[in-house]
Amino acid sequence: MEKAVFLNKDLHFLRIAAVVPEMKVADVDFNTKGILKSLEKASAAGVQIAAFPEMSLTGYRIDDLVQHQVLLEKAMGGLRILAAETQKLNMALIVGLPVAIENKVYNCAAVVSRGKICGLVPKTYLPNYKEFYDSRWFESGSSLESTELLINGETVPCGTDLLFAVKGFPEAVFGIEICEDLWVPLAPHAYQSLAGACILFNLSASNEVLGKDDWRRVMVSSASGRCQAAYCYVSSSIAESSNDIVFGGHSLIAENGTILNETPRLRRESNMIICDIDVERLVFDRQINATMRSNSYGIPSFRKVAIEIEDVPAGEIQRQLDPHPFVPGNIADRASRCREIFSMQIGALSQKLRGAKKQNIVLGVSGGLDSTLALLAAVKTIDFLNLPRTCVHAFTLPGFGTTQRTKMNATRLGQALGVSFQEVDITGTCLSQFKDLSHKGQEDVVYENVQARYRTAFLFNKANELDAIVLGTGDLTEVALGWSTFAGDQLSHYHINVSVPKTLVQYLIGWVAEEEMKNSPAQKVLYDILETPISPELLKPANGQIQQKSEDIIGPVELADFFLYPFIRFGMRPGKILFLADTVNRRGLFCGKYEMDDLHKWLRSFIRRFFANQFKRTCMPEGPKVGSVSLSPRGDWRMPSDAEPTLWLEDLEAMYTRLKP
């Protein structure tokens, strides 16, 4: 059986590069050699499509020299040399050059693959203002009447209506525009993406002025986000003529609104950035986006040109992978992101109280993570409404599994926050229910669920007494895995944490402790809550310590959240998730805690649990969506409760067989 995992057919990634080579203005031989040197490096790195700057064979700032036949012929000769070289490199390149067609000169991008010039795309919009005079030398591609050009005895398609499709990888379709084309209101890339291009290349010669780099990032990320595409922007280096302006060689690769990589600016040496584009992810977003589908009617027709590239073993994936996809990765954004999450929770809960015409909140506080976050959100909401904190009625409800540590943390936190707080021991009531059930008190599912369901019944009854709403505390990770008791903690009037996964719960509590509760009585309590093992505390403690640890049963929460995010957000196949989890683990981003067998075990468990517990999600309470992943049956996620997980498990096993030692 084949063991290697391939980039295209198995993972649906496409490896692209933005390359800024060494160059000299008007020296085609030097520039051709520089491009070839860069191509060898790109090929060695497994690059499948490499893009070079605008007019990279001649240089962009050649001005009137572009009209000289000797230069035009030499540029075409350089293109032929590059085409011949790609026959042995098994990759495609996109290179810029001037081309004479119909007695006019066009600024073109040429696509070359497997020894063949596959197509020429002329620049559509010609800047003719300030420092730019493109209309002096070039014609707009919109005026081109020819659809083909004879080069070396072969017919080459040309025009602004070309898209390029990778043979054997039907989703991988790309379009090309040149420099100014990006900056206009109705850009070519918009029509290309609506026609099916999910990767967009821009060959540019963009000069540097103060602040332009920030605007360039905005334009590239925005284009990729609006088009749900990857956008590869490659620009000329400082080797361009500096008669009146300076070029910086700023190149960027973005995917669906996020900058994946970019080059430093104003460097003399050649540079190259490589990214693996997740084509499958882009296709998924387009499939579910009805708005984009509805915009595709009436767009201009495009011709698709097939190109050949070699599928390569995946090896080391060329993109950053986040081990904690729900947690802000940029520390600089941490405070604003945390405030935003709390603001959304506060806004939602305050409106829920207004709509219900209530001023009081009832919730159970266990001394664990989820109820702590819910309590913090409730307090912030009551403060926002200018009501006394005593409108928050927190109850700790110790049962058979409650430890002294969690009970004390719940008590101290409630007191430190100044809410109404009460302890109610539920063991007597639970024993009474055992008697009614003729249950002997053995530790089984009845033993656990009697406690969970009575706590919920108590809170609902107390809410009736206090004219309040019951605030649920369970998080997104627990909702996904079904880690709740049906008709117990699964129920509430409002589930404040329903789209906050466990890793983000931990992060938010840590931020509150560090930033908002510093040197307060609550800070030490919050830190201890963060260090307490995650547990429903429904089984008896062992020597006073928690013996029922959630992560021993449902798996490490960081893995559950790593699996959950791509599974829901991108519909990612389990085998691919396993491959990426293994990559993250090998990079040390999980701190080397897991073996391949661990990743396989917990992903298999995740899939089984996710499918088996849809019945709980189907009737889950309302709650605010704060991130891009939600499992609300009224919003983002609908599935039958009796769906079979077989296909997903088979996909996982097939990849596991190929990855395991």
Side-chain angles (χ1 to χ4, degrees):
M1 180 179 290
E2 184 180 52
K3 293 283 286 186
V5 177
F6 284 84
L7 204 63
N8 302 156
K9 71 176 182 179
D10 296 321
L11 301 178
H12 299 262
F13 283 119
L14 185 70
R15 184 163 295 169
I16 67 172
V19 187
V20 181
E22 296 180 74
M23 66 89 62
K24 291 181 181 179
V25 177
D27 191 338
V28 176
D29 286 339
F30 181 90
N31 298 337
T32 302
K33 290 175 183 176
I35 292 170
L36 286 172
K37 189 186 300 183
S38 297
L39 281 177
E40 290 174 2
K41 293 179 181 177
S43 180
V47 170
Q48 296 174 298
I49 303 175
F52 293 82
E54 180 179 9
M55 298 278 283
S56 43
L57 272 169
T58 60
Y60 172 69
R61 296 286 289 178
I62 51 178
D63 298 350
D64 288 351
L65 296 176
V66 78
Q67 296 166 337
H68 284 227
Q69 195 64 30
V70 65
L71 184 80
L72 292 169
E73 290 179 0
K74 191 68 173 179
M76 187 56 69
L79 182 61
R80 293 189 187 99
I81 291 171
L82 294 176
E85 289 297 321
T86 60
Q87 194 156 14
K88 62 184 180 183
L89 290 175
N90 294 320
M91 61 182 292
L93 73 144
I94 309 169
V95 65
L97 75 161
V99 180
I101 311 174
E102 300 169 349
N103 299 317
K104 302 169 187 175
V105 179
Y106 292 86
N107 180 342
C108 290
V111 177
V112 181
S113 175
R114 291 290 178 94
K116 182 179 179 182
I117 302 170
C118 302
L120 294 169
V121 179
K123 187 174 183 176
T124 299
Y125 294 98
L126 305 176
N128 215 56
Y129 53 85
K130 294 185 178 180
E131 62 266 40
F132 297 108
Y133 296 95
D134 279 32
S135 295
R136 177 182 174 95
W137 306 296
F138 301 111
E139 286 291 323
S140 166
S142 60
S143 70
L144 181 63
E145 295 181 4
S146 297
T147 59
E148 297 175 338
L149 186 66
L150 197 63
I151 302 176
N152 271 9
E154 292 191 3
T155 300
V156 176
C158 59
T160 59
D161 61 341
L162 297 184
L163 296 179
F164 299 87
V166 178
K167 285 185 179 179
F169 193 178
E171 305 96 334
V173 177
F174 65 90
I176 303 167
E177 60 187 6
I178 301 176
C179 200
E180 185 77 2
D181 293 348
L182 167 65
W183 303 82
V184 299
L186 296 175
H189 68 252
Y191 299 107
Q192 292 169 358
S193 62
L194 289 172
C198 63
I199 303 152
L200 307 164
F201 290 93
N202 185 297
L203 278 55
S204 184
S206 180
N207 65 311
E208 297 296 333
V209 293
L210 290 175
K212 192 173 182 180
D213 60 320
D214 288 334
W215 184 231
R216 203 178 284 122
R217 291 184 190 96
V218 169
M219 291 295 290
V220 169
S221 61
S222 174
S224 72
R226 285 184 294 103
C227 295
Q228 294 180 320
Y231 197 101
C232 178
Y233 179 96
V234 55
S235 187
S236 301
S237 73
I238 62 171
E240 282 283 357
S241 173
S242 60
N243 278 4
D244 297 294
I245 55 179
V246 62
F247 294 82
H250 193 196
S251 300
L252 307 102
I253 299 177
E255 184 182 276
N256 206 0
T258 300
I259 301 290
L260 300 181
N261 205 348
E262 66 177 294
T263 59
R265 296 179 302 131
L266 300 166
R267 302 287 180 89
R268 175 157 293 279
E269 63 273 13
S270 62
N271 61 64
M272 174 171 59
I273 51 174
I274 301 172
C275 275
D276 288 334
I277 300 302
D278 195 336
V279 176
E280 193 171 43
R281 177 186 293 195
L282 297 170
V283 170
F284 176 83
D285 273 353
R286 290 183 175 194
Q287 287 172 341
I288 66 173
N289 191 330
T291 305
M292 187 164 185
R293 292 199 303 272
S294 66
N295 268 273
S296 63
Y297 301 110
I299 64 169
S301 60
F302 283 83
R303 292 175 287 160
K304 283 188 179 177
V305 179
I307 68 163
E308 289 188 60
I309 59 174
E310 182 179 341
D311 197 358
V312 296
E316 187 63 29
I317 292 297
Q318 297 295 312
R319 64 189 278 146
Q320 289 186 334
L321 297 174
D322 192 344
H324 305 120
F326 290 105
V327 176
N330 188 344
I331 295 298
D333 295 337
R334 180 184 182 193
S336 61
R337 185 67 62 87
C338 290
R339 290 193 187 97
E340 184 178 16
I341 293 169
F342 274 116
S343 293
M344 294 172 74
Q345 288 186 312
I346 291 166
L349 182 54
S350 62
Q351 178 58 30
K352 179 57 62 176
L353 289 168
R354 288 192 185 102
K357 297 179 173 55
K358 309 289 184 187
Q359 293 189 346
N360 293 296
I361 298 171
V362 165
L363 75 160
V365 181
S366 66
L369 292 167
D370 294 338
S371 62
T372 295
L373 182 61
L375 178 59
L376 292 171
V379 167
K380 287 174 176 287
T381 302
I382 291 299
D383 290 347
F384 174 75
L385 294 172
N386 295 315
L387 296 170
R389 287 191 176 185
T390 50
C391 288
V392 177
H393 301 269
F395 295 87
T396 187
L397 305 167
F400 304 127
T402 304
T403 60
Q404 188 67 17
R405 178 182 185 179
T406 54
K407 186 169 73 169
M408 288 304 299
N409 279 340
T411 302
R412 289 170 181 161
L413 184 61
Q415 293 171 346
L417 294 175
V419 302
S420 298
F421 187 84
Q422 186 178 350
E423 177 185 329
V424 177
D425 193 310
I426 66 167
T427 54
T429 305
C430 291
L431 289 171
S432 176
Q433 291 197 23
F434 287 162
K435 182 178 179 181
D436 293 342
L437 293 165
S438 299
H439 188 273
K440 301 184 186 306
Q442 68 272 20
E443 292 188 347
D444 57 11
V445 68
V446 176
Y447 181 92
E448 295 186 49
N449 287 344
V450 159
Q451 297 170 76
R453 291 196 175 105
Y454 178 66
R455 286 187 175 117
T456 299
F458 173 88
L459 294 173
F460 273 113
N461 290 332
K462 184 58 73 171
N464 288 155
E465 178 186 324
L466 298 171
D467 193 29
I469 68 167
V470 175
L471 195 64
T473 62
D475 63 53
L476 178 64
T477 311
E478 294 182 346
V479 169
L481 296 172
W483 193 238
S484 61
T485 296
F486 190 74
D489 51 319
Q490 176 240 358
L491 293 179
S492 67
H493 287 121
Y494 200 60
H495 240 47
I496 194 66
N497 297 333
V498 73
S499 68
V500 184
K502 188 77 78 179
T503 50
L504 187 53
V505 170
Q506 295 168 319
Y507 186 88
L508 288 166
I509 293 172
W511 176 79
V512 171
E514 292 175 25
E515 302 295 333
E516 296 194 345
M517 302 290 181
K518 186 171 287 187
N519 300 321
S520 73
Q523 185 183 41
K524 186 176 181 180
V525 180
L526 292 176
Y527 282 143
D528 195 58
I529 289 171
L530 287 169
E531 294 172 1
T532 303
I534 301 168
S535 172
E537 289 195 312
L538 297 174
L539 299 180
K540 293 175 184 176
N543 300 317
Q545 302 298 313
I546 293 171
Q547 69 150 329
Q548 185 186 25
K549 297 179 180 178
S550 297
E551 291 184 293
D552 292 343
I553 303 167
I554 61 173
V557 294
E558 69 173 349
L559 289 185
D561 285 354
F562 184 87
F563 302 151
L564 172 63
Y565 182 79
F567 186 76
I568 297 299
R569 175 63 184 84
F570 304 116
M572 190 176 289
R573 61 190 71 206
K576 186 172 177 179
I577 295 174
L578 180 65
F579 182 92
L580 296 179
D582 180 51
T583 302
V584 167
N585 195 51
R586 286 187 287 103
R587 289 179 181 178
L589 300 177
F590 286 140
C591 301
K593 287 182 284 189
Y594 310 113
E595 302 291 337
M596 170 57 72
D597 286 347
D598 298 322
L599 300 174
H600 170 251
K601 168 187 172 182
W602 293 122
L603 181 50
R604 184 177 56 193
S605 172
F606 171 88
I607 295 167
R608 286 175 170 164
R609 282 185 168 276
F610 186 86
F611 275 80
N613 286 283
Q614 176 62 27
F615 76 98
K616 295 181 183 178
R617 295 189 290 270
T618 298
C619 54
M620 62 191 277
E622 297 172 348
K625 177 181 177 179
V626 300
S628 58
V629 173
S630 168
L631 293 174
S632 167
R634 296 164 296 277
D636 291 66
W637 187 255
R638 298 166 180 83
M639 70 174 276
S641 298
D642 52 1
E644 291 292 336
T646 306
L647 293 176
W648 288 262
L649 292 171
E650 287 175 350
D651 186 85
L652 171 62
E653 295 307 315
M655 181 62 75
Y656 174 61
T657 300
R658 296 165 73 177
L659 291 178
K660 66 181 180 180

